[in-house]
Amino acid sequence: MEESATLAMAKKARELKSQGIDIISLSLGEPDFKTPKHIQEAAKSAIDEGKYFAYPPVAGYQDLREAIAKKLREENQIVEAKAENIVVSTGAKHSIANVFMCMLNEGDEVVIFSPYWVSYAEIIKLAGGVPVLIEGTLENNFKATAAQLKDAMTDKTKAVIYSSPCNPTGSVFSKEELEAIAEVFKSKKDVYVIADEIYELINFTGQHASIGSFPGMFERTITVNGFSKGYAMTGWRVGYICAPLFIAKACEKMQGQFTSGGTGIAQRAALAAISGDQQPSKEMEKAYLGRRELVLNLLRDIPGIKTHVPEGAFYFFPDVTAFFGKSFGNHHIKNSDDLCIYLLEESNVSVVTGAAFGAPDCVRLSYAASEEDLKEALSRMKKALVALV
Ligand code: PMP
Ligand code: GLU
């Protein structure tokens, strides 16, 4: 199994920083905001109340599961969602691992909309499955289509996974695009879609569609979400699924053997996040939009960089093939891995190779960083890239 490229790059950047090198890290997809105050306060009260120190129920506290189900019914129109369909876990990554561990037998295929988030393919392989990629290109905003999905499906296909808004591309599937994808499922039995909606609250189109809300799709959909991105709670480790009952029960069983219920105090914080004031999340979304504009203009100013305009999440995923075959000093750039090392060593900016996301022509940069850091990072990158001949 491969190491997580995002976490590996973050580790490298941290190590260089600890040696006193002025690294700007645009590698890790992690909000630079603090968790909103009212959520912090809820965690403090939970400690003071002294009621949440024991093992929590494996699938999560009942009130949190009810609040999540209510949110999914009211905001995502997943009208069938009930508390019993919800399994709270230690982050969306854990939820995805639960699902694939439960669902896949040796040799089962999972179609992945590519470019895709690093961990999907590795978790699928770990669970004995076989990843099958369908590829979106820069020209179509990196969105593979329903027709590609149909062609990729075989008798062995067990599941399909995508993220929207997408990590690493920031692309967002429209309702119509998702309807076309849902249509493909009509002719297939026993195939499930895993809809990773972790960036739901960072969506500049103003419209988030959940495939689990479409007619006939509730029983075929595992909606994955969590608190890391929209509420700036990466370190609290809370995520969840909403799934058909038999899958939710299987995930609860799996989780009961692996990790037990997620941290009690963090679940109380999550309850405050989902049922409390949503304004801080909206403010963060606004700030990300401002940064997107900033970075877009700075990227467009670098000769050779080709980018689309991301509609959500907080990533750019530019094509960097114009730099392949070029050199500077001892650096010979053959691919995007080389380019990332070059940028790290020459400009002290860390970004992640697109190869980790199934798109070796690209690099991913996260703009969940201050405007000051973004300006400085892009200016350093420009200098280093222009120097390549
Ligand atoms: N899905 C996607 C698309 C992600 O980018 C991430 C990274 N945070 C996750 C899932 C996992 O999130 P969590 O922090 O909840 O484990
Ligand atoms: N999801 C974030 C990213 O893609 C965090 C790192 C990780 O969990 O892989 O950078």
Side-chain angles (χ1 to χ4, degrees), residues 91-93 96 117 120 163 167 196 198-199 228-229 237 315:
K93 188 183 275 184
I96 294 165
W117 179 48
Y120 295 159
S163 60
N167 178 1
D196 184 344
I198 187 119
Y199 293 95
S228 288
K229 312 294 172 171
R237 311 307 304 130
Y315 305 105

Side-chain angles (χ1 to χ4, degrees), residues 87 98-99 102 241 246-256:
V87 182
N98 278 338
V99 171
C102 288
I241 54 163
F246 78 101
I247 294 177
K249 284 193 163 155
C251 287
E252 180 177 355
K253 202 197 271 183
M254 178 72 64
Q255 188 163 298

Side-chain angles (χ1 to χ4, degrees), residues 4 6-7 27-29 93 117-119 167 199 229 315 364:
S4 161
T6 47
L7 298 181
S27 49
L28 196 60
K93 188 183 275 184
W117 179 48
V118 275
S119 294
N167 178 1
Y199 293 95
K229 312 294 172 171
Y315 305 105
R364 188 193 78 173

Side-chain angles (χ1 to χ4, degrees), residues 82 130 166 211 232 265 267 328 332 359 386:
K82 296 197 200 68
V130 180
C166 177
I211 198 167
I265 303 300
Q267 286 193 48
F328 178 79
H332 307 292
V386 167

Side-chain angles (χ1 to χ4, degrees), residues 65-361:
R65 293 169 80 196
E66 274 164 14
I68 291 169
K70 179 168 180 280
K71 171 238 180 304
L72 292 171
R73 288 192 303 272
E74 291 176 1
E75 289 171 25
N76 304 74
Q77 287 77 49
I78 305 180
V79 292
E80 291 103 326
K82 296 197 200 68
E84 64 187 16
N85 302 107
I86 310 299
V87 182
V88 177
S89 66
T90 308
K93 188 183 275 184
H94 182 204
S95 295
I96 294 165
N98 278 338
V99 171
F100 284 133
M101 293 301 253
C102 288
M103 187 181 265
L104 299 180
N105 290 320
E106 205 63 33
D108 282 345
E109 292 176 358
V110 181
V111 181
I112 307 180
F113 279 76
S114 180
Y116 60 92
W117 179 48
V118 275
S119 294
Y120 295 159
E122 299 310 314
I123 297 174
I124 291 165
K125 286 191 258 173
L126 190 63
V130 180
V132 175
L133 304 186
I134 51 173
E135 292 178 15
T137 59
L138 177 65
E139 289 66 38
N140 70 353
N141 290 324
F142 293 111
K143 292 196 260 189
T145 61
Q148 284 172 280
L149 172 61
K150 199 168 179 186
D151 287 347
M153 281 184 164
T154 70
D155 292 346
K156 290 193 179 152
T157 306
K158 196 58 171 279
V160 175
I161 185 165
Y162 66 79
S163 60
S164 177
C166 177
N167 178 1
T169 64
S171 296
V172 174
F173 278 130
S174 67
K175 186 158 183 260
E176 292 69 33
E177 285 161 338
L178 286 179
E179 276 167 354
I181 289 168
E183 193 63 30
V184 177
F185 282 79
K186 285 199 177 147
S187 59
K188 304 278 173 191
K189 261 184 72 185
D190 295 331
V191 182
Y192 296 84
V193 59
I194 296 141
D196 184 344
E197 304 186 2
I198 187 119
Y199 293 95
E200 174 183 9
L201 300 184
I202 310 168
N203 179 341
F204 315 131
T205 70
Q207 285 176 349
H208 175 81
S210 292
I211 198 167
S213 69
F214 297 170
M217 286 304 285
F218 180 75
E219 288 302 327
R220 312 287 294 270
T221 304
I222 297 106
T223 303
V224 176
N225 208 329
F227 297 83
S228 288
K229 312 294 172 171
Y231 299 98
M233 290 175 70
T234 46
W236 298 75
R237 311 307 304 130
V238 193
Y240 61 85
I241 54 163
C242 172
L245 197 54
F246 78 101
I247 294 177
K249 284 193 163 155
C251 287
E252 180 177 355
K253 202 197 271 183
M254 178 72 64
Q255 188 163 298
Q257 293 291 18
F258 265 35
T259 57
S260 306
T263 311
I265 303 300
Q267 286 193 48
R268 302 323 286 166
L271 179 62
I274 205 163
S275 45
D277 185 7
Q278 301 299 304
Q279 199 50 35
S281 297
K282 295 204 173 85
E283 307 270 320
M284 289 188 262
E285 184 182 47
K286 216 162 110 194
Y288 290 128
L289 179 58
R291 294 168 186 188
R292 182 194 72 172
E293 293 310 295
L294 173 74
V295 176
L296 183 62
N297 288 328
L298 294 172
L299 279 175
R300 283 183 170 155
D301 196 36
I302 303 178
I305 289 270
K306 276 191 277 176
T307 183
H308 77 310
V309 183
E311 297 176 309
F314 37 59
Y315 305 105
F316 272 88
F317 200 59
D319 178 305
V320 289
T321 47
F323 306 102
F324 295 176
K326 295 194 171 181
S327 302
F328 178 79
N330 291 331
H331 289 278
H332 307 292
I333 313 298
K334 292 180 298 302
N335 50 39
S336 66
D337 293 29
D338 292 345
L339 194 72
C340 290
I341 297 295
Y342 172 65
L343 288 173
L344 186 63
E345 293 182 356
E346 210 37 52
S347 56
N348 294 339
V349 175
S350 75
V351 297
V352 188
T353 171
F357 305 94
D361 288 348

